[in-house]
Amino acid sequence: MKIIRYYRALWNSMIGLILLLIAGFLVIVLAEFGIISERETSYAGLPDYDYVADIRSLKAEGKLSEALEMARYVVRQGDMPGHEQAQLLALELESELSSLWGRAWRVANGFIKGSGNSIEELSGGIASDLIVWGDIRDLFKQGYYRITGQETDPLIVVLAGVGLLTEVVDAADWAPAVLKAFRKTGALSRQLADYIINAGKQSVKVGKLDGALKTVFTNLRGVIDHVGLARTAAILKHVDTPADLGALTKVARKNADAAYFTVKNGGREGLDIIKGLGDSEAGIEAMAKAARKGPAGIQWLKRSGSGHKYVLLTRVGARIFKNIRLDRPQQILIELAKKYKYFQTLLWIVTITCLAGAFLAFIRSGWIVFHK
């Protein structure tokens, strides 16, 4: 009889646990739905940002390619402020950038001198590194600076050495050349530069590319492939660690505009937002919407309940039910709750019923075990 009683108690405990899990899942769904509703309401109250002044400022600074990409973004949106002005600016920038003599001169200047005042000069400098000339040129220049008592750049020296190394290891790996170009234009943070110097020295010492450094190179290429060289140069200065770059790469691969504008408008705070939100669908959607709002969009993402809190709950739910892929039913329930008002009420009823059922099941299990 005791075995049967314990079996019944165990059965009730299992039922209670199942009901409790269902209730917990529904609580997460309802919490997400409430935060989504709050987030969308606050978002709707923000006006779209007028990027025309920013485009003109970039043009005045000589950052023509970045200005053109920003103008194209406004044009693609279709209904943002300054749409017509952005179209005209895009045409002007395209004309200026496509000027045959101007482009040829900038590319040649970058190839020979390794300078990087424009995207063409950056490209020319990168091209020279890829055929070894640039690495030899930079090593010679840094050696000359040292002999004459001038300040040398240890990062340029290390990257030149790594560049020569990768000519043997992997001729297609142009990351050292890109990083040298970014260093010359002030696009690298001190922390990231220090990391690359240390890892690069180790690579040159053993004659083999360090695994962690190779990951940095791979992620850098991922960002550039999606965001573009000019826009990467504008936001890379906020990247301090390989983890920062990895987080940026994941978002860039899914939505280049979201990655660029989150960091462009938010600086280091924007990168922290990217790390906090990650590359989840909800996070990407939030950053893409914030891009339309300009700097105010960053503040919107930072507010409690509009960004990190929402995605945190999503991640908790996803981790709990990861193995059985409950993220899809979760999103389906949220969409139904958004579409049908009565469905949210139904979810609350089911949740409360499950909680009550779980409570009664556990009470009954205890009563069976301890009642004589």
Side-chain angles (χ1 to χ4, degrees), residues 37-83:
S37 299
E38 178 187 345
R39 179 167 56 89
E40 291 180 344
T41 299
S42 63
Y43 163 78
L46 291 175
D48 286 336
Y49 184 70
D50 189 345
Y51 280 103
V52 170
D54 291 15
I55 297 169
R56 287 178 174 153
S57 177
L58 288 170
K59 183 183 177 184
E61 293 172 16
K63 300 177 180 178
L64 304 184
S65 295
E66 186 183 357
L68 177 57
E69 288 300 321
M70 188 175 289
R72 285 173 173 170
Y73 167 78
V74 176
V75 172
R76 284 196 303 270
Q77 300 308 304
D79 58 348
M80 288 186 67
H83 179 266

mmCIF file of all heavy atoms in Angstrom, residues 37-83:
data_model
loop_
_atom_site.group_PDB
_atom_site.id
_atom_site.type_symbol
_atom_site.label_atom_id
_atom_site.label_comp_id
_atom_site.label_asym_id
_atom_site.label_seq_id
_atom_site.Cartn_x
_atom_site.Cartn_y
_atom_site.Cartn_z
ATOM 1 N N SER A 37 4.350 45.917 -25.956
ATOM 2 C CA SER A 37 3.327 46.950 -26.110
ATOM 3 C C SER A 37 3.830 48.296 -25.605
ATOM 4 O O SER A 37 3.647 49.333 -26.239
ATOM 5 C CB SER A 37 2.056 46.544 -25.342
ATOM 6 O OG SER A 37 1.536 45.333 -25.851
ATOM 7 N N GLU A 38 4.492 48.282 -24.449
ATOM 8 C CA GLU A 38 5.046 49.520 -23.883
ATOM 9 C C GLU A 38 6.118 50.088 -24.796
ATOM 10 O O GLU A 38 6.190 51.289 -25.049
ATOM 11 C CB GLU A 38 5.639 49.223 -22.507
ATOM 12 C CG GLU A 38 6.285 50.442 -21.854
ATOM 13 C CD GLU A 38 7.006 50.077 -20.577
ATOM 14 O OE1 GLU A 38 6.782 48.976 -20.058
ATOM 15 O OE2 GLU A 38 7.809 50.897 -20.112
ATOM 16 N N ARG A 39 6.978 49.188 -25.319
ATOM 17 C CA ARG A 39 8.072 49.610 -26.183
ATOM 18 C C ARG A 39 7.537 50.243 -27.464
ATOM 19 O O ARG A 39 8.023 51.270 -27.918
ATOM 20 C CB ARG A 39 8.950 48.390 -26.517
ATOM 21 C CG ARG A 39 10.095 48.701 -27.436
ATOM 22 C CD ARG A 39 11.085 47.551 -27.453
ATOM 23 N NE ARG A 39 10.463 46.311 -27.827
ATOM 24 C CZ ARG A 39 10.342 45.886 -29.088
ATOM 25 N NH1 ARG A 39 10.767 46.646 -30.071
ATOM 26 N NH2 ARG A 39 9.789 44.724 -29.360
ATOM 27 N N GLU A 40 6.526 49.613 -28.065
ATOM 28 C CA GLU A 40 5.986 50.124 -29.323
ATOM 29 C C GLU A 40 5.254 51.445 -29.124
ATOM 30 O O GLU A 40 5.278 52.319 -29.985
ATOM 31 C CB GLU A 40 5.060 49.075 -29.950
ATOM 32 C CG GLU A 40 5.836 47.850 -30.457
ATOM 33 C CD GLU A 40 4.940 46.816 -31.082
ATOM 34 O OE1 GLU A 40 3.704 46.904 -30.855
ATOM 35 O OE2 GLU A 40 5.439 45.926 -31.779
ATOM 36 N N THR A 41 4.626 51.599 -27.950
ATOM 37 C CA THR A 41 3.937 52.852 -27.671
ATOM 38 C C THR A 41 4.927 54.004 -27.531
ATOM 39 O O THR A 41 4.743 55.088 -28.086
ATOM 40 C CB THR A 41 3.101 52.722 -26.377
ATOM 41 O OG1 THR A 41 2.128 51.691 -26.562
ATOM 42 C CG2 THR A 41 2.396 54.024 -26.060
ATOM 43 N N SER A 42 6.010 53.761 -26.773
ATOM 44 C CA SER A 42 7.012 54.810 -26.582
ATOM 45 C C SER A 42 7.749 55.103 -27.889
ATOM 46 O O SER A 42 8.114 56.238 -28.178
ATOM 47 C CB SER A 42 8.013 54.396 -25.500
ATOM 48 O OG SER A 42 8.721 53.237 -25.889
ATOM 49 N N TYR A 43 7.961 54.066 -28.681
ATOM 50 C CA TYR A 43 8.637 54.253 -29.958
ATOM 51 C C TYR A 43 7.809 55.123 -30.899
ATOM 52 O O TYR A 43 8.340 55.995 -31.588
ATOM 53 C CB TYR A 43 8.892 52.890 -30.605
ATOM 54 C CG TYR A 43 9.204 52.959 -32.077
ATOM 55 C CD1 TYR A 43 10.462 53.331 -32.517
ATOM 56 C CD2 TYR A 43 8.229 52.650 -33.022
ATOM 57 C CE1 TYR A 43 10.752 53.416 -33.871
ATOM 58 C CE2 TYR A 43 8.507 52.726 -34.370
ATOM 59 C CZ TYR A 43 9.769 53.100 -34.789
ATOM 60 O OH TYR A 43 10.030 53.179 -36.129
ATOM 61 N N ALA A 44 6.500 54.883 -30.924
ATOM 62 C CA ALA A 44 5.621 55.616 -31.837
ATOM 63 C C ALA A 44 5.636 57.119 -31.559
ATOM 64 O O ALA A 44 5.369 57.928 -32.448
ATOM 65 C CB ALA A 44 4.196 55.079 -31.743
ATOM 66 N N GLY A 45 5.958 57.510 -30.334
ATOM 67 C CA GLY A 45 5.946 58.925 -29.982
ATOM 68 C C GLY A 45 7.190 59.677 -30.417
ATOM 69 O O GLY A 45 7.221 60.909 -30.335
ATOM 70 N N LEU A 46 8.208 58.952 -30.885
ATOM 71 C CA LEU A 46 9.441 59.612 -31.318
ATOM 72 C C LEU A 46 9.366 59.979 -32.805
ATOM 73 O O LEU A 46 8.984 59.143 -33.621
ATOM 74 C CB LEU A 46 10.648 58.685 -31.104
ATOM 75 C CG LEU A 46 11.073 58.395 -29.669
ATOM 76 C CD1 LEU A 46 12.196 57.367 -29.665
ATOM 77 C CD2 LEU A 46 11.528 59.672 -28.973
ATOM 78 N N PRO A 47 9.761 61.187 -33.162
ATOM 79 C CA PRO A 47 9.779 61.554 -34.593
ATOM 80 C C PRO A 47 10.992 60.944 -35.281
ATOM 81 O O PRO A 47 12.025 60.707 -34.655
ATOM 82 C CB PRO A 47 9.884 63.085 -34.546
ATOM 83 C CG PRO A 47 10.621 63.364 -33.271
ATOM 84 C CD PRO A 47 10.165 62.309 -32.289
ATOM 85 N N ASP A 48 10.855 60.686 -36.579
ATOM 86 C CA ASP A 48 12.003 60.218 -37.350
ATOM 87 C C ASP A 48 13.059 61.311 -37.427
ATOM 88 O O ASP A 48 12.740 62.499 -37.491
ATOM 89 C CB ASP A 48 11.567 59.806 -38.763
ATOM 90 C CG ASP A 48 10.813 58.487 -38.780
ATOM 91 O OD1 ASP A 48 11.007 57.694 -37.848
ATOM 92 O OD2 ASP A 48 10.027 58.255 -39.724
ATOM 93 N N TYR A 49 14.308 60.889 -37.435
ATOM 94 C CA TYR A 49 15.439 61.825 -37.403
ATOM 95 C C TYR A 49 15.764 62.313 -38.816
ATOM 96 O O TYR A 49 15.696 61.556 -39.787
ATOM 97 C CB TYR A 49 16.650 61.118 -36.804
ATOM 98 C CG TYR A 49 17.863 61.991 -36.614
ATOM 99 C CD1 TYR A 49 17.892 62.993 -35.656
ATOM 100 C CD2 TYR A 49 19.006 61.803 -37.396
ATOM 101 C CE1 TYR A 49 19.019 63.780 -35.473
ATOM 102 C CE2 TYR A 49 20.132 62.578 -37.206
ATOM 103 C CZ TYR A 49 20.133 63.565 -36.253
ATOM 104 O OH TYR A 49 21.250 64.346 -36.078
ATOM 105 N N ASP A 50 16.119 63.573 -38.920
ATOM 106 C CA ASP A 50 16.539 64.147 -40.193
ATOM 107 C C ASP A 50 18.065 64.054 -40.294
ATOM 108 O O ASP A 50 18.792 64.773 -39.608
ATOM 109 C CB ASP A 50 16.088 65.607 -40.292
ATOM 110 C CG ASP A 50 16.311 66.195 -41.679
ATOM 111 O OD1 ASP A 50 17.059 65.579 -42.462
ATOM 112 O OD2 ASP A 50 15.738 67.258 -41.975
ATOM 113 N N TYR A 51 18.546 63.167 -41.161
ATOM 114 C CA TYR A 51 19.982 62.920 -41.291
ATOM 115 C C TYR A 51 20.676 63.856 -42.283
ATOM 116 O O TYR A 51 21.890 63.729 -42.495
ATOM 117 C CB TYR A 51 20.226 61.467 -41.739
ATOM 118 C CG TYR A 51 20.137 60.454 -40.623
ATOM 119 C CD1 TYR A 51 19.020 59.643 -40.476
ATOM 120 C CD2 TYR A 51 21.185 60.300 -39.720
ATOM 121 C CE1 TYR A 51 18.936 58.694 -39.464
ATOM 122 C CE2 TYR A 51 21.119 59.359 -38.698
ATOM 123 C CZ TYR A 51 19.996 58.566 -38.583
ATOM 124 O OH TYR A 51 19.918 57.631 -37.568
ATOM 125 N N VAL A 52 19.934 64.770 -42.894
ATOM 126 C CA VAL A 52 20.518 65.620 -43.939
ATOM 127 C C VAL A 52 21.712 66.420 -43.419
ATOM 128 O O VAL A 52 22.756 66.507 -44.072
ATOM 129 C CB VAL A 52 19.452 66.565 -44.537
ATOM 130 C CG1 VAL A 52 20.108 67.608 -45.451
ATOM 131 C CG2 VAL A 52 18.420 65.763 -45.317
ATOM 132 N N ALA A 53 21.580 67.014 -42.237
ATOM 133 C CA ALA A 53 22.688 67.797 -41.664
ATOM 134 C C ALA A 53 23.909 66.913 -41.429
ATOM 135 O O ALA A 53 25.048 67.339 -41.651
ATOM 136 C CB ALA A 53 22.242 68.450 -40.363
ATOM 137 N N ASP A 54 23.681 65.685 -40.990
ATOM 138 C CA ASP A 54 24.787 64.752 -40.762
ATOM 139 C C ASP A 54 25.472 64.390 -42.075
ATOM 140 O O ASP A 54 26.705 64.275 -42.133
ATOM 141 C CB ASP A 54 24.270 63.482 -40.094
ATOM 142 C CG ASP A 54 23.813 63.713 -38.667
ATOM 143 O OD1 ASP A 54 23.624 64.880 -38.290
ATOM 144 O OD2 ASP A 54 23.633 62.733 -37.932
ATOM 145 N N ILE A 55 24.673 64.205 -43.114
ATOM 146 C CA ILE A 55 25.239 63.881 -44.434
ATOM 147 C C ILE A 55 26.123 65.013 -44.928
ATOM 148 O O ILE A 55 27.239 64.802 -45.407
ATOM 149 C CB ILE A 55 24.108 63.603 -45.445
ATOM 150 C CG1 ILE A 55 23.300 62.371 -45.016
ATOM 151 C CG2 ILE A 55 24.677 63.390 -46.849
ATOM 152 C CD1 ILE A 55 22.008 62.168 -45.785
ATOM 153 N N ARG A 56 25.620 66.238 -44.794
ATOM 154 C CA ARG A 56 26.393 67.406 -45.234
ATOM 155 C C ARG A 56 27.670 67.571 -44.413
ATOM 156 O O ARG A 56 28.715 67.977 -44.940
ATOM 157 C CB ARG A 56 25.525 68.654 -45.142
ATOM 158 C CG ARG A 56 24.463 68.714 -46.239
ATOM 159 C CD ARG A 56 23.585 69.924 -46.109
ATOM 160 N NE ARG A 56 22.677 70.036 -47.241
ATOM 161 C CZ ARG A 56 21.495 70.626 -47.202
ATOM 162 N NH1 ARG A 56 21.068 71.166 -46.068
ATOM 163 N NH2 ARG A 56 20.727 70.679 -48.279
ATOM 164 N N SER A 57 27.581 67.275 -43.132
ATOM 165 C CA SER A 57 28.758 67.384 -42.271
ATOM 166 C C SER A 57 29.826 66.376 -42.682
ATOM 167 O O SER A 57 31.019 66.714 -42.745
ATOM 168 C CB SER A 57 28.345 67.155 -40.808
ATOM 169 O OG SER A 57 29.467 67.194 -39.955
ATOM 170 N N LEU A 58 29.416 65.160 -42.962
ATOM 171 C CA LEU A 58 30.365 64.138 -43.414
ATOM 172 C C LEU A 58 30.990 64.535 -44.748
ATOM 173 O O LEU A 58 32.185 64.334 -44.981
ATOM 174 C CB LEU A 58 29.655 62.787 -43.551
ATOM 175 C CG LEU A 58 29.260 62.092 -42.246
ATOM 176 C CD1 LEU A 58 28.367 60.893 -42.523
ATOM 177 C CD2 LEU A 58 30.497 61.660 -41.464
ATOM 178 N N LYS A 59 30.183 65.113 -45.622
ATOM 179 C CA LYS A 59 30.697 65.560 -46.918
ATOM 180 C C LYS A 59 31.747 66.653 -46.740
ATOM 181 O O LYS A 59 32.795 66.635 -47.388
ATOM 182 C CB LYS A 59 29.537 66.071 -47.776
ATOM 183 C CG LYS A 59 29.955 66.505 -49.177
ATOM 184 C CD LYS A 59 28.776 67.066 -49.960
ATOM 185 C CE LYS A 59 29.223 67.560 -51.340
ATOM 186 N NZ LYS A 59 28.118 68.201 -52.084
ATOM 187 N N ALA A 60 31.460 67.588 -45.837
ATOM 188 C CA ALA A 60 32.400 68.689 -45.581
ATOM 189 C C ALA A 60 33.715 68.170 -45.000
ATOM 190 O O ALA A 60 34.780 68.741 -45.240
ATOM 191 C CB ALA A 60 31.768 69.704 -44.638
ATOM 192 N N GLU A 61 33.648 67.082 -44.248
ATOM 193 C CA GLU A 61 34.849 66.490 -43.648
ATOM 194 C C GLU A 61 35.629 65.636 -44.639
ATOM 195 O O GLU A 61 36.700 65.123 -44.319
ATOM 196 C CB GLU A 61 34.455 65.631 -42.442
ATOM 197 C CG GLU A 61 33.888 66.425 -41.272
ATOM 198 C CD GLU A 61 33.338 65.517 -40.188
ATOM 199 O OE1 GLU A 61 33.655 64.311 -40.196
ATOM 200 O OE2 GLU A 61 32.573 66.002 -39.329
ATOM 201 N N GLY A 62 35.081 65.474 -45.838
ATOM 202 C CA GLY A 62 35.756 64.654 -46.838
ATOM 203 C C GLY A 62 35.446 63.177 -46.738
ATOM 204 O O GLY A 62 36.034 62.361 -47.454
ATOM 205 N N LYS A 63 34.486 62.820 -45.874
ATOM 206 C CA LYS A 63 34.093 61.418 -45.726
ATOM 207 C C LYS A 63 32.952 61.124 -46.702
ATOM 208 O O LYS A 63 31.796 60.898 -46.318
ATOM 209 C CB LYS A 63 33.674 61.137 -44.277
ATOM 210 C CG LYS A 63 34.799 61.397 -43.284
ATOM 211 C CD LYS A 63 34.347 61.195 -41.853
ATOM 212 C CE LYS A 63 35.488 61.460 -40.878
ATOM 213 N NZ LYS A 63 35.066 61.308 -39.456
ATOM 214 N N LEU A 64 33.314 61.145 -47.962
ATOM 215 C CA LEU A 64 32.308 61.085 -49.020
ATOM 216 C C LEU A 64 31.580 59.743 -49.069
ATOM 217 O O LEU A 64 30.360 59.699 -49.269
ATOM 218 C CB LEU A 64 32.973 61.366 -50.376
ATOM 219 C CG LEU A 64 33.749 62.686 -50.495
ATOM 220 C CD1 LEU A 64 34.266 62.856 -51.909
ATOM 221 C CD2 LEU A 64 32.875 63.864 -50.097
ATOM 222 N N SER A 65 32.302 58.666 -48.918
ATOM 223 C CA SER A 65 31.675 57.345 -49.004
ATOM 224 C C SER A 65 30.700 57.111 -47.855
ATOM 225 O O SER A 65 29.615 56.571 -48.044
ATOM 226 C CB SER A 65 32.742 56.253 -49.022
ATOM 227 O OG SER A 65 33.522 56.340 -50.188
ATOM 228 N N GLU A 66 31.092 57.518 -46.653
ATOM 229 C CA GLU A 66 30.187 57.365 -45.502
ATOM 230 C C GLU A 66 28.963 58.253 -45.677
ATOM 231 O O GLU A 66 27.833 57.847 -45.372
ATOM 232 C CB GLU A 66 30.915 57.709 -44.209
ATOM 233 C CG GLU A 66 30.076 57.417 -42.970
ATOM 234 C CD GLU A 66 30.765 57.828 -41.674
ATOM 235 O OE1 GLU A 66 31.925 58.284 -41.718
ATOM 236 O OE2 GLU A 66 30.114 57.699 -40.608
ATOM 237 N N ALA A 67 29.177 59.468 -46.175
ATOM 238 C CA ALA A 67 28.055 60.381 -46.428
ATOM 239 C C ALA A 67 27.105 59.792 -47.457
ATOM 240 O O ALA A 67 25.874 59.872 -47.311
ATOM 241 C CB ALA A 67 28.578 61.727 -46.911
ATOM 242 N N LEU A 68 27.664 59.175 -48.495
ATOM 243 C CA LEU A 68 26.835 58.570 -49.541
ATOM 244 C C LEU A 68 26.006 57.412 -48.988
ATOM 245 O O LEU A 68 24.821 57.297 -49.301
ATOM 246 C CB LEU A 68 27.722 58.072 -50.682
ATOM 247 C CG LEU A 68 27.007 57.349 -51.833
ATOM 248 C CD1 LEU A 68 25.936 58.238 -52.455
ATOM 249 C CD2 LEU A 68 28.012 56.877 -52.883
ATOM 250 N N GLU A 69 26.616 56.579 -48.164
ATOM 251 C CA GLU A 69 25.878 55.452 -47.577
ATOM 252 C C GLU A 69 24.741 55.947 -46.688
ATOM 253 O O GLU A 69 23.660 55.364 -46.662
ATOM 254 C CB GLU A 69 26.833 54.556 -46.789
ATOM 255 C CG GLU A 69 27.780 53.738 -47.641
ATOM 256 C CD GLU A 69 27.048 52.802 -48.582
ATOM 257 O OE1 GLU A 69 26.027 52.221 -48.186
ATOM 258 O OE2 GLU A 69 27.489 52.653 -49.734
ATOM 259 N N MET A 70 24.991 57.027 -45.950
ATOM 260 C CA MET A 70 23.941 57.576 -45.094
ATOM 261 C C MET A 70 22.808 58.159 -45.937
ATOM 262 O O MET A 70 21.628 57.982 -45.611
ATOM 263 C CB MET A 70 24.528 58.644 -44.166
ATOM 264 C CG MET A 70 23.550 59.133 -43.099
ATOM 265 S SD MET A 70 24.307 60.296 -41.926
ATOM 266 C CE MET A 70 25.392 59.208 -40.991
ATOM 267 N N ALA A 71 23.159 58.831 -47.016
ATOM 268 C CA ALA A 71 22.143 59.386 -47.910
ATOM 269 C C ALA A 71 21.315 58.267 -48.537
ATOM 270 O O ALA A 71 20.084 58.368 -48.646
ATOM 271 C CB ALA A 71 22.807 60.228 -48.999
ATOM 272 N N ARG A 72 21.979 57.206 -48.941
ATOM 273 C CA ARG A 72 21.271 56.065 -49.533
ATOM 274 C C ARG A 72 20.330 55.413 -48.530
ATOM 275 O O ARG A 72 19.251 54.931 -48.888
ATOM 276 C CB ARG A 72 22.286 55.044 -50.050
ATOM 277 C CG ARG A 72 22.970 55.470 -51.344
ATOM 278 C CD ARG A 72 24.076 54.499 -51.720
ATOM 279 N NE ARG A 72 24.636 54.798 -53.039
ATOM 280 C CZ ARG A 72 25.733 54.222 -53.529
ATOM 281 N NH1 ARG A 72 26.387 53.326 -52.803
ATOM 282 N NH2 ARG A 72 26.175 54.543 -54.732
ATOM 283 N N TYR A 73 20.742 55.384 -47.276
ATOM 284 C CA TYR A 73 19.869 54.824 -46.236
ATOM 285 C C TYR A 73 18.576 55.622 -46.140
ATOM 286 O O TYR A 73 17.488 55.048 -46.102
ATOM 287 C CB TYR A 73 20.592 54.828 -44.882
ATOM 288 C CG TYR A 73 19.675 54.559 -43.708
ATOM 289 C CD1 TYR A 73 19.242 53.264 -43.418
ATOM 290 C CD2 TYR A 73 19.222 55.604 -42.898
ATOM 291 C CE1 TYR A 73 18.394 53.015 -42.349
ATOM 292 C CE2 TYR A 73 18.372 55.358 -41.832
ATOM 293 C CZ TYR A 73 17.963 54.066 -41.562
ATOM 294 O OH TYR A 73 17.111 53.827 -40.518
ATOM 295 N N VAL A 74 18.677 56.947 -46.093
ATOM 296 C CA VAL A 74 17.491 57.802 -46.012
ATOM 297 C C VAL A 74 16.605 57.588 -47.236
ATOM 298 O O VAL A 74 15.380 57.490 -47.123
ATOM 299 C CB VAL A 74 17.888 59.288 -45.887
ATOM 300 C CG1 VAL A 74 16.644 60.174 -45.906
ATOM 301 C CG2 VAL A 74 18.676 59.521 -44.602
ATOM 302 N N VAL A 75 17.223 57.486 -48.406
ATOM 303 C CA VAL A 75 16.464 57.276 -49.643
ATOM 304 C C VAL A 75 15.735 55.928 -49.603
ATOM 305 O O VAL A 75 14.581 55.834 -50.011
ATOM 306 C CB VAL A 75 17.407 57.347 -50.865
ATOM 307 C CG1 VAL A 75 16.664 56.933 -52.140
ATOM 308 C CG2 VAL A 75 17.971 58.756 -51.024
ATOM 309 N N ARG A 76 16.409 54.894 -49.102
ATOM 310 C CA ARG A 76 15.791 53.564 -49.037
ATOM 311 C C ARG A 76 14.574 53.540 -48.129
ATOM 312 O O ARG A 76 13.611 52.795 -48.383
ATOM 313 C CB ARG A 76 16.811 52.522 -48.532
ATOM 314 C CG ARG A 76 17.826 52.100 -49.552
ATOM 315 C CD ARG A 76 18.520 50.813 -49.122
ATOM 316 N NE ARG A 76 19.155 50.922 -47.816
ATOM 317 C CZ ARG A 76 20.394 51.322 -47.623
ATOM 318 N NH1 ARG A 76 21.136 51.695 -48.659
ATOM 319 N NH2 ARG A 76 20.909 51.358 -46.410
ATOM 320 N N GLN A 77 14.590 54.340 -47.063
ATOM 321 C CA GLN A 77 13.471 54.342 -46.124
ATOM 322 C C GLN A 77 12.206 54.916 -46.763
ATOM 323 O O GLN A 77 11.104 54.535 -46.417
ATOM 324 C CB GLN A 77 13.826 55.129 -44.861
ATOM 325 C CG GLN A 77 15.028 54.588 -44.104
ATOM 326 C CD GLN A 77 14.921 53.114 -43.799
ATOM 327 O OE1 GLN A 77 13.964 52.658 -43.178
ATOM 328 N NE2 GLN A 77 15.896 52.335 -44.251
ATOM 329 N N GLY A 78 12.384 55.868 -47.660
ATOM 330 C CA GLY A 78 11.261 56.378 -48.434
ATOM 331 C C GLY A 78 10.443 57.477 -47.792
ATOM 332 O O GLY A 78 10.036 58.416 -48.463
ATOM 333 N N ASP A 79 10.203 57.394 -46.490
ATOM 334 C CA ASP A 79 9.297 58.348 -45.842
ATOM 335 C C ASP A 79 9.947 59.113 -44.694
ATOM 336 O O ASP A 79 9.267 59.647 -43.831
ATOM 337 C CB ASP A 79 8.056 57.616 -45.326
ATOM 338 C CG ASP A 79 8.395 56.494 -44.349
ATOM 339 O OD1 ASP A 79 9.586 56.133 -44.251
ATOM 340 O OD2 ASP A 79 7.468 55.976 -43.687
ATOM 341 N N MET A 80 11.274 59.160 -44.678
ATOM 342 C CA MET A 80 11.958 59.867 -43.607
ATOM 343 C C MET A 80 12.110 61.352 -43.943
ATOM 344 O O MET A 80 12.089 61.731 -45.126
ATOM 345 C CB MET A 80 13.330 59.245 -43.336
ATOM 346 C CG MET A 80 13.271 57.896 -42.659
ATOM 347 S SD MET A 80 14.906 57.262 -42.211
ATOM 348 C CE MET A 80 15.416 58.445 -40.946
ATOM 349 N N PRO A 81 12.276 62.203 -42.937
ATOM 350 C CA PRO A 81 12.498 63.637 -43.196
ATOM 351 C C PRO A 81 13.732 63.843 -44.071
ATOM 352 O O PRO A 81 14.726 63.122 -43.937
ATOM 353 C CB PRO A 81 12.717 64.220 -41.798
ATOM 354 C CG PRO A 81 12.067 63.250 -40.867
ATOM 355 C CD PRO A 81 12.232 61.900 -41.492
ATOM 356 N N GLY A 82 13.672 64.837 -44.947
ATOM 357 C CA GLY A 82 14.815 65.148 -45.796
ATOM 358 C C GLY A 82 15.033 64.154 -46.921
ATOM 359 O O GLY A 82 16.138 64.082 -47.486
ATOM 360 N N HIS A 83 13.996 63.397 -47.272
ATOM 361 C CA HIS A 83 14.129 62.361 -48.290
ATOM 362 C C HIS A 83 14.606 62.937 -49.628
ATOM 363 O O HIS A 83 15.541 62.427 -50.254
ATOM 364 C CB HIS A 83 12.800 61.635 -48.465
ATOM 365 C CG HIS A 83 12.824 60.571 -49.518
ATOM 366 N ND1 HIS A 83 12.427 60.802 -50.819
ATOM 367 C CD2 HIS A 83 13.222 59.277 -49.479
ATOM 368 C CE1 HIS A 83 12.559 59.699 -51.522
ATOM 369 N NE2 HIS A 83 13.050 58.754 -50.740
#
